[in-house]
Amino acid sequence: MRCTSATATENYVPPVLGNGGLSVMLDMEGCQRQRSYPGHLTPMIWWAGRRYDTRLGELIPFGYLCQSTASPTEWSQNLDVRQACIETESSSANGDSLRTEAFVHLNLPILALRKTCAGEFTLTYHLAQPGTGGEPPRR
């Protein structure tokens, strides 16, 4: 399943990688920018069965990945169901480009990323609740 900057609509939602335990959404740049997509979905790392001890039993968020790159002018994203991976490629007006390959291990709670970049790039993991506030998961 392939989506590009030319074919995406306002209904674009990042695909999900998972193994029944770990669940991860990666956007068109191969990260988890904190914005709400249709259906009130915000890219995060979730681990099944890890819930708060509250009346509602909400899932505990395990954070998200952000990167510092220029805004892409073109991008493509491919969900390869045979290889169980997501591949993204993006390029910006200043000539920077970034390629991401990601998969979740079948039996273990492991997210593997391979990033290849031309230009400035920083990847940051935030152990935080969904959104841009940066609050840590509550206890």
Side-chain angles (χ1 to χ4, degrees):
M1 183 171 88
R2 186 169 179 79
C3 186
T4 69
S5 51
T7 61
T9 67
E10 66 277 352
N11 294 326
Y12 166 82
V13 175
V16 177
L17 279 177
N19 61 6
L22 199 62
S23 178
V24 178
M25 290 175 73
L26 292 175
D27 66 21
M28 72 282 287
E29 295 181 68
C31 65
Q32 298 175 307
R33 297 205 191 277
Q34 294 298 284
R35 62 165 282 215
S36 183
Y37 289 93
H40 304 288
L41 299 170
T42 302
M44 291 291 296
I45 299 170
W46 301 100
W47 196 354
R50 291 1 184 232
R51 295 184 175 271
Y52 289 115
D53 187 17
T54 64
R55 183 177 56 85
L56 297 176
E58 307 93 340
L59 284 171
I60 299 171
F62 277 80
Y64 55 89
L65 298 165
C66 283
Q67 59 196 29
S68 62
T69 55
S71 295
T73 53
E74 292 184 14
W75 59 268
S76 67
Q77 185 174 47
N78 186 51
L79 173 61
D80 185 337
V81 295
R82 289 186 186 266
Q83 298 294 320
C85 67
I86 291 176
E87 300 164 336
T88 66
E89 293 184 30
S90 61
S91 58
S92 60
N94 67 2
D96 289 354
S97 65
L98 181 63
R99 176 176 169 75
T100 303
E101 298 169 85
F103 80 97
V104 172
H105 189 280
L106 177 63
N107 299 314
L108 299 171
I110 297 173
L111 167 64
L113 295 172
R114 180 184 320 181
K115 299 265 189 184
T116 307
C117 67
E120 295 289 321
F121 166 75
T122 302
L123 180 69
T124 308
Y125 169 73
H126 299 271
L127 178 57
Q129 295 186 50
T132 57
E135 301 89 15
R138 62 183 195 275
R139 293 180 157 243

